[in-house]
Coordinates of all heavy atoms in Angstrom, one line a residue:
M268 N -86.9 -29.7 -19.6 CA -86.1 -30.2 -20.6 C -85.9 -29.2 -21.7 O -86.9 -28.6 -22.2 CB -86.6 -31.5 -21.2 CG -85.8 -32.0 -22.3 SD -86.4 -33.5 -23.1 CE -85.9 -34.7 -22.0
K269 N -84.7 -28.9 -22.1 CA -84.3 -27.9 -23.1 C -84.7 -28.4 -24.5 O -84.5 -29.6 -24.8 CB -82.8 -27.6 -23.1 CG -82.4 -26.5 -24.0 CD -82.9 -25.2 -23.5 CE -82.3 -24.0 -24.3 NZ -82.7 -22.7 -23.8
Q270 N -85.4 -27.6 -25.3 CA -85.8 -28.0 -26.6 C -84.7 -27.6 -27.6 O -84.1 -26.5 -27.5 CB -87.1 -27.2 -27.0 CG -87.9 -27.8 -28.1 CD -89.2 -27.2 -28.2 OE1 -89.4 -26.0 -27.9 NE2 -90.2 -27.9 -28.7
V271 N -84.4 -28.4 -28.5 CA -83.4 -28.2 -29.5 C -84.0 -28.3 -30.9 O -84.7 -29.3 -31.2 CB -82.2 -29.2 -29.4 CG1 -81.2 -29.0 -30.5 CG2 -81.5 -29.0 -28.1
V272 N -83.8 -27.3 -31.8 CA -84.3 -27.3 -33.1 C -83.1 -27.3 -34.1 O -82.2 -26.5 -33.9 CB -85.2 -26.1 -33.4 CG1 -85.6 -26.0 -34.9 CG2 -86.4 -26.0 -32.5
I273 N -83.1 -28.3 -35.0 CA -82.0 -28.4 -36.0 C -82.5 -28.2 -37.4 O -83.5 -28.8 -37.8 CB -81.3 -29.8 -35.9 CG1 -80.8 -30.0 -34.4 CG2 -80.2 -29.9 -36.9 CD1 -80.3 -31.4 -34.1
I274 N -81.9 -27.3 -38.1 CA -82.2 -27.0 -39.5 C -81.1 -27.5 -40.3 O -80.0 -26.9 -40.4 CB -82.4 -25.5 -39.7 CG1 -83.5 -24.9 -38.8 CG2 -82.8 -25.2 -41.2 CD1 -83.5 -23.4 -38.7
P275 N -81.2 -28.7 -40.9 CA -80.1 -29.3 -41.7 C -80.2 -28.8 -43.2 O -81.2 -28.4 -43.7 CB -80.4 -30.8 -41.6 CG -81.9 -30.9 -41.6 CD -82.4 -29.6 -40.8
G276 N -79.0 -28.9 -43.8 CA -79.0 -28.6 -45.2 C -77.6 -28.4 -45.8 O -76.6 -28.5 -45.0
G277 N -77.5 -28.1 -47.1 CA -76.2 -27.9 -47.7 C -75.8 -26.4 -47.6 O -74.6 -26.1 -47.4
F278 N -76.7 -25.5 -47.7 CA -76.5 -24.1 -47.6 C -75.4 -23.6 -48.5 O -74.3 -23.1 -48.1 CB -76.2 -23.7 -46.1 CG -77.3 -24.2 -45.2 CD1 -77.1 -25.3 -44.4 CD2 -78.5 -23.5 -45.2 CE1 -78.1 -25.7 -43.6 CE2 -79.5 -24.0 -44.4 CZ -79.3 -25.1 -43.6
H279 N -75.6 -23.8 -49.8 CA -74.6 -23.4 -50.8 C -75.1 -22.3 -51.7 O -75.7 -22.5 -52.8 CB -74.2 -24.6 -51.7 CG -73.4 -25.6 -50.9 ND1 -72.1 -25.5 -50.8 CD2 -73.8 -26.7 -50.2 CE1 -71.6 -26.4 -50.0 NE2 -72.7 -27.2 -49.7
P280 N -74.9 -21.0 -51.4 CA -74.4 -20.5 -50.1 C -75.6 -20.3 -49.1 O -76.8 -20.4 -49.5 CB -73.8 -19.2 -50.5 CG -74.6 -18.7 -51.6 CD -75.1 -19.9 -52.3
F281 N -75.3 -19.9 -47.9 CA -76.3 -19.5 -46.9 C -76.8 -18.1 -47.4 O -76.0 -17.2 -47.7 CB -75.6 -19.3 -45.6 CG -76.6 -19.2 -44.4 CD1 -77.2 -20.3 -43.8 CD2 -77.1 -17.9 -44.1 CE1 -78.1 -20.2 -42.8 CE2 -78.0 -17.8 -43.0 CZ -78.5 -18.9 -42.4
H282 N -78.1 -18.0 -47.6 CA -78.7 -16.8 -48.2 C -79.9 -16.3 -47.3 O -80.2 -16.8 -46.3 CB -79.1 -17.0 -49.6 CG -80.0 -18.1 -49.9 ND1 -81.3 -18.1 -49.5 CD2 -79.8 -19.3 -50.5 CE1 -81.9 -19.2 -49.8 NE2 -81.0 -20.0 -50.4
A283 N -80.5 -15.2 -47.8 CA -81.6 -14.6 -47.1 C -82.7 -15.5 -46.8 O -83.4 -15.4 -45.7 CB -82.1 -13.3 -47.8
G284 N -83.0 -16.4 -47.7 CA -84.1 -17.4 -47.4 C -83.8 -18.3 -46.3 O -84.7 -18.7 -45.5
H285 N -82.5 -18.7 -46.2 CA -82.1 -19.6 -45.1 C -82.2 -18.8 -43.7 O -82.6 -19.3 -42.7 CB -80.6 -20.1 -45.3 CG -80.5 -20.9 -46.4 ND1 -79.5 -20.7 -47.4 CD2 -81.1 -22.1 -46.8 CE1 -79.6 -21.6 -48.3 NE2 -80.6 -22.5 -48.0
A286 N -81.8 -17.5 -43.8 CA -81.8 -16.6 -42.6 C -83.3 -16.5 -42.2 O -83.6 -16.5 -41.0 CB -81.2 -15.3 -42.9
A287 N -84.2 -16.3 -43.1 CA -85.6 -16.2 -42.8 C -86.1 -17.5 -42.1 O -86.9 -17.4 -41.2 CB -86.4 -15.9 -44.0
L288 N -85.7 -18.6 -42.6 CA -86.1 -19.9 -42.0 C -85.6 -20.0 -40.6 O -86.3 -20.4 -39.7 CB -85.6 -21.1 -42.9 CG -85.9 -22.5 -42.3 CD1 -87.4 -22.7 -42.3 CD2 -85.2 -23.5 -43.2
Y289 N -84.3 -19.6 -40.4 CA -83.7 -19.6 -39.0 C -84.5 -18.7 -38.1 O -84.9 -19.1 -37.0 CB -82.3 -19.2 -39.1 CG -81.6 -19.0 -37.8 CD1 -81.1 -20.0 -37.1 CD2 -81.3 -17.7 -37.4 CE1 -80.5 -19.8 -35.8 CE2 -80.7 -17.5 -36.1 CZ -80.3 -18.5 -35.4 OH -79.7 -18.3 -34.2
N290 N -84.8 -17.5 -38.5 CA -85.6 -16.6 -37.7 C -87.0 -17.1 -37.4 O -87.5 -16.9 -36.3 CB -85.6 -15.2 -38.3 CG -84.2 -14.5 -38.3 OD1 -83.4 -14.7 -37.4 ND2 -83.8 -13.8 -39.3
S291 N -87.6 -17.7 -38.4 CA -88.9 -18.3 -38.2 C -88.9 -19.4 -37.1 O -89.8 -19.5 -36.3 CB -89.5 -18.8 -39.5 OG -89.8 -17.8 -40.4
A292 N -87.9 -20.2 -37.2 CA -87.7 -21.3 -36.2 C -87.5 -20.7 -34.8 O -88.1 -21.2 -33.8 CB -86.6 -22.2 -36.6
R293 N -86.8 -19.6 -34.7 CA -86.5 -19.0 -33.4 C -87.8 -18.4 -32.8 O -88.1 -18.5 -31.6 CB -85.5 -17.9 -33.5 CG -84.1 -18.5 -33.8 CD -83.0 -17.5 -33.8 NE -82.9 -16.9 -32.4 CZ -82.4 -15.7 -32.2 NH1 -81.9 -15.0 -33.2 NH2 -82.4 -15.2 -31.0
Q294 N -88.7 -17.9 -33.7 CA -90.0 -17.3 -33.3 C -90.9 -18.5 -32.9 O -91.7 -18.3 -32.0 CB -90.6 -16.4 -34.3 CG -89.8 -15.1 -34.5 CD -90.4 -14.2 -35.6 OE1 -91.3 -14.7 -36.4 NE2 -90.0 -13.0 -35.6
A295 N -90.9 -19.5 -33.7 CA -91.9 -20.6 -33.5 C -91.5 -21.4 -32.2 O -92.4 -22.0 -31.6 CB -91.9 -21.6 -34.7
F296 N -90.3 -21.4 -31.9 CA -89.8 -22.2 -30.7 C -89.1 -21.3 -29.7 O -87.8 -21.4 -29.5 CB -88.9 -23.4 -31.1 CG -89.6 -24.3 -32.1 CD1 -89.4 -24.2 -33.4 CD2 -90.4 -25.3 -31.6 CE1 -90.1 -25.1 -34.3 CE2 -91.1 -26.2 -32.4 CZ -90.9 -26.1 -33.8
P297 N -89.8 -20.4 -29.1 CA -89.1 -19.4 -28.2 C -88.5 -20.2 -27.0 O -89.0 -21.1 -26.5 CB -90.2 -18.5 -27.7 CG -91.5 -19.2 -28.0 CD -91.2 -20.1 -29.1
G298 N -87.3 -19.8 -26.7 CA -86.5 -20.5 -25.6 C -85.8 -21.7 -26.0 O -85.0 -22.3 -25.3
A299 N -86.0 -22.2 -27.3 CA -85.3 -23.4 -27.8 C -83.9 -23.0 -28.3 O -83.7 -21.8 -28.7 CB -86.1 -24.1 -28.9
D300 N -83.0 -23.9 -28.3 CA -81.7 -23.7 -29.0 C -81.9 -24.1 -30.4 O -82.2 -25.2 -30.7 CB -80.6 -24.5 -28.4 CG -80.2 -24.0 -27.0 OD1 -80.3 -22.8 -26.7 OD2 -79.7 -24.9 -26.2
V301 N -81.7 -23.1 -31.3 CA -81.9 -23.4 -32.8 C -80.5 -23.4 -33.4 O -79.8 -22.5 -33.3 CB -82.8 -22.3 -33.4 CG1 -82.9 -22.5 -34.9 CG2 -84.1 -22.2 -32.8
Y302 N -80.3 -24.5 -34.1 CA -79.0 -24.8 -34.8 C -79.2 -25.0 -36.3 O -80.2 -25.5 -36.7 CB -78.3 -26.0 -34.2 CG -77.8 -25.9 -32.8 CD1 -78.7 -26.2 -31.7 CD2 -76.6 -25.4 -32.5 CE1 -78.3 -26.1 -30.4 CE2 -76.2 -25.2 -31.2 CZ -77.0 -25.6 -30.2 OH -76.6 -25.4 -28.9
V303 N -78.2 -24.5 -37.0 CA -78.2 -24.7 -38.5 C -77.1 -25.7 -38.7 O -75.9 -25.5 -38.3 CB -77.9 -23.4 -39.3 CG1 -77.8 -23.7 -40.7 CG2 -79.0 -22.4 -39.0
A304 N -77.4 -26.9 -39.2 CA -76.4 -28.0 -39.4 C -76.1 -28.1 -40.9 O -76.9 -28.4 -41.7 CB -77.0 -29.3 -38.9
A305 N -74.8 -27.8 -41.3 CA -74.4 -27.7 -42.7 C -73.4 -28.8 -43.0 O -72.6 -29.2 -42.1 CB -73.9 -26.4 -43.0
T306 N -73.3 -29.2 -44.2 CA -72.3 -30.1 -44.6 C -71.0 -29.4 -44.9 O -71.0 -28.2 -45.3 CB -72.8 -30.9 -45.9 OG1 -71.7 -31.8 -46.3 CG2 -73.0 -29.9 -47.1
D307 N -69.9 -30.1 -44.8 CA -68.6 -29.6 -45.2 C -68.1 -30.3 -46.4 O -66.9 -30.3 -46.7 CB -67.6 -29.7 -44.0 CG -66.3 -28.9 -44.3 OD1 -66.4 -27.9 -45.1 OD2 -65.3 -29.2 -43.7
D308 N -68.9 -31.0 -47.1 CA -68.6 -31.8 -48.3 C -68.3 -30.9 -49.5 O -69.3 -30.3 -50.0 CB -69.6 -32.8 -48.6 CG -69.3 -33.6 -49.9 OD1 -68.2 -33.6 -50.4 OD2 -70.2 -34.3 -50.4
T309 N -67.1 -30.7 -49.9 CA -66.8 -29.8 -51.1 C -66.5 -30.7 -52.3 O -66.1 -30.1 -53.3 CB -65.6 -28.9 -50.8 OG1 -64.5 -29.7 -50.4 CG2 -66.0 -27.9 -49.7
S310 N -66.7 -32.0 -52.3 CA -66.5 -32.8 -53.4 C -67.5 -32.5 -54.5 O -67.2 -32.6 -55.7 CB -66.5 -34.3 -53.1 OG -67.8 -34.7 -52.6
T311 N -68.7 -32.2 -54.2 CA -69.7 -31.9 -55.2 C -70.4 -30.5 -55.0 O -71.3 -30.1 -55.7 CB -70.9 -32.9 -55.2 OG1 -71.5 -33.0 -53.9 CG2 -70.3 -34.3 -55.5
R312 N -69.9 -29.8 -53.9 CA -70.5 -28.5 -53.6 C -69.4 -27.5 -53.5 O -68.3 -27.8 -53.0 CB -71.3 -28.5 -52.4 CG -72.5 -29.5 -52.5 CD -73.2 -29.7 -51.2 NE -74.2 -30.7 -51.3 CZ -75.5 -30.4 -51.1 NH1 -75.9 -29.3 -50.8 NH2 -76.4 -31.4 -51.3
P313 N -69.6 -26.2 -54.0 CA -68.5 -25.2 -54.1 C -68.1 -24.5 -52.8 O -67.0 -24.0 -52.8 CB -69.1 -24.2 -55.1 CG -70.6 -24.3 -54.9 CD -70.9 -25.7 -54.5
F314 N -68.9 -24.4 -51.8 CA -68.6 -23.6 -50.7 C -68.1 -24.4 -49.5 O -68.8 -25.3 -49.0 CB -69.8 -22.8 -50.2 CG -70.2 -21.8 -51.3 CD1 -71.2 -22.1 -52.2 CD2 -69.6 -20.5 -51.3 CE1 -71.6 -21.2 -53.2 CE2 -70.0 -19.6 -52.3 CZ -71.0 -19.9 -53.2
P315 N -66.9 -24.1 -49.0 CA -66.4 -24.8 -47.8 C -67.2 -24.3 -46.5 O -67.8 -23.2 -46.5 CB -65.0 -24.4 -47.7 CG -64.8 -23.2 -48.4 CD -65.9 -23.2 -49.5
F316 N -67.2 -25.1 -45.5 CA -67.9 -24.8 -44.3 C -67.6 -23.4 -43.7 O -68.5 -22.6 -43.3 CB -67.6 -25.8 -43.2 CG -68.4 -25.6 -41.9 CD1 -69.7 -26.1 -41.8 CD2 -67.8 -24.9 -40.8 CE1 -70.4 -25.9 -40.6 CE2 -68.5 -24.7 -39.7 CZ -69.8 -25.2 -39.6
A317 N -66.3 -23.0 -43.7 CA -65.9 -21.7 -43.1 C -66.6 -20.5 -43.8 O -67.0 -19.6 -43.2 CB -64.4 -21.6 -43.2
V318 N -66.8 -20.6 -45.2 CA -67.4 -19.6 -45.9 C -68.9 -19.5 -45.5 O -69.5 -18.4 -45.3 CB -67.2 -19.7 -47.4 CG1 -68.1 -18.8 -48.2 CG2 -65.8 -19.6 -47.8
K319 N -69.5 -20.7 -45.5 CA -71.0 -20.7 -45.1 C -71.2 -20.2 -43.7 O -72.1 -19.5 -43.4 CB -71.5 -22.2 -45.3 CG -71.5 -22.6 -46.7 CD -72.1 -24.0 -46.9 CE -71.2 -25.1 -46.3 NZ -71.7 -26.4 -46.6
E320 N -70.3 -20.6 -42.8 CA -70.4 -20.1 -41.4 C -70.3 -18.6 -41.3 O -71.0 -18.0 -40.6 CB -69.3 -20.8 -40.6 CG -69.4 -20.5 -39.1 CD -68.3 -21.2 -38.3 OE1 -67.2 -21.4 -38.8 OE2 -68.6 -21.6 -37.2
K321 N -69.4 -18.0 -42.1 CA -69.3 -16.5 -42.1 C -70.5 -15.9 -42.6 O -71.0 -14.9 -42.1 CB -68.0 -16.1 -42.9 CG -66.7 -16.4 -42.2 CD -65.6 -16.0 -43.1 CE -64.2 -16.4 -42.4 NZ -63.1 -16.1 -43.3
L322 N -71.1 -16.4 -43.7 CA -72.3 -15.9 -44.3 C -73.5 -16.0 -43.3 O -74.3 -15.1 -43.1 CB -72.6 -16.6 -45.6 CG -71.7 -16.3 -46.7 CD1 -72.0 -17.2 -47.9 CD2 -71.8 -14.8 -47.2
A323 N -73.5 -17.1 -42.6 CA -74.6 -17.3 -41.6 C -74.4 -16.3 -40.4 O -75.4 -15.7 -40.0 CB -74.6 -18.7 -41.1
K324 N -73.2 -16.1 -40.0 CA -73.0 -15.1 -38.9 C -73.4 -13.7 -39.4 O -74.1 -13.0 -38.6 CB -71.5 -15.1 -38.6 CG -71.1 -14.2 -37.4 CD -69.7 -14.2 -37.1 CE -69.3 -13.2 -36.0 NZ -67.9 -13.2 -35.7
L325 N -73.1 -13.3 -40.6 CA -73.5 -12.0 -41.1 C -75.0 -11.9 -41.2 O -75.6 -10.8 -41.1 CB -72.9 -11.8 -42.5 CG -71.4 -11.5 -42.5 CD1 -70.9 -11.5 -44.0 CD2 -71.1 -10.2 -41.9
A326 N -75.7 -13.1 -41.4 CA -77.1 -13.1 -41.5 C -77.8 -13.1 -40.2 O -79.0 -13.1 -40.1 CB -77.6 -14.3 -42.4
G327 N -77.0 -13.2 -39.1 CA -77.6 -13.2 -37.7 C -77.7 -14.5 -37.0 O -78.3 -14.5 -35.9
V328 N -77.2 -15.6 -37.5 CA -77.2 -16.8 -36.8 C -76.2 -16.7 -35.6 O -75.1 -16.2 -35.7 CB -76.7 -18.0 -37.7 CG1 -76.6 -19.3 -36.9 CG2 -77.7 -18.2 -38.8
E329 N -76.7 -17.1 -34.4 CA -76.0 -16.9 -33.2 C -74.6 -17.6 -33.3 O -74.5 -18.7 -33.8 CB -76.8 -17.5 -32.0 CG -78.0 -16.7 -31.7 CD -78.8 -17.3 -30.5 OE1 -78.2 -17.4 -29.4 OE2 -79.9 -17.7 -30.7
P330 N -73.6 -17.1 -32.6 CA -72.3 -17.7 -32.6 C -72.4 -19.1 -32.0 O -73.1 -19.3 -31.0 CB -71.5 -16.8 -31.7 CG -72.1 -15.5 -31.8 CD -73.6 -15.7 -32.0
G331 N -71.8 -20.1 -32.6 CA -71.9 -21.5 -32.1 C -73.1 -22.2 -32.5 O -73.3 -23.4 -32.2
H332 N -74.0 -21.6 -33.3 CA -75.3 -22.2 -33.7 C -75.3 -22.6 -35.2 O -76.3 -23.1 -35.7 CB -76.5 -21.4 -33.3 CG -76.8 -21.4 -31.9 ND1 -78.0 -21.8 -31.4 CD2 -76.0 -21.0 -30.8 CE1 -77.9 -21.7 -30.1 NE2 -76.8 -21.2 -29.7
F333 N -74.2 -22.5 -35.8 CA -74.0 -23.0 -37.2 C -72.9 -24.1 -37.1 O -71.8 -23.8 -36.8 CB -73.5 -21.9 -38.1 CG -73.5 -22.2 -39.6 CD1 -74.7 -22.1 -40.3 CD2 -72.4 -22.8 -40.2 CE1 -74.7 -22.4 -41.6 CE2 -72.5 -23.2 -41.5 CZ -73.6 -23.0 -42.2
V334 N -73.4 -25.3 -37.2 CA -72.5 -26.5 -36.9 C -72.5 -27.4 -38.1 O -73.4 -27.3 -39.0 CB -73.0 -27.3 -35.7 CG1 -72.9 -26.4 -34.5 CG2 -74.4 -27.8 -35.8

């Protein structure tokens, strides 16, 4: 059975600390699919999903793993 790890949060914005958490999860769960799950609620938060997704990609989050 495939293991899935989900890191939920607001990520306003996605930064080096979030990237470190993502990388730690990948090391702690080798072979698992690690996903970062972010909100797209801009009513009380300044960054839209597309901006957070780009920052996560620049930080090394695998394509398709920022949802």
Side-chain angles (χ1 to χ4, degrees):
M268 177 182 277
K269 186 72 171 181
Q270 199 171 30
V271 176
V272 176
I273 300 171
I274 304 169
F278 306 104
H279 290 277
F281 192 88
H282 56 70
H285 297 127
L288 179 62
Y289 171 77
N290 290 325
S291 293
R293 290 185 64 201
Q294 288 179 350
F296 300 97
D300 287 337
V301 179
Y302 292 91
V303 179
T306 180
D307 192 23
D308 178 13
T309 55
S310 65
T311 59
R312 298 173 184 242
F314 294 92
F316 182 84
V318 170
K319 295 184 286 187
E320 185 176 34
K321 286 178 186 177
L322 291 172
K324 181 180 177 182
L325 289 171
V328 175
E329 294 180 59
H332 286 242
F333 191 87
V334 296

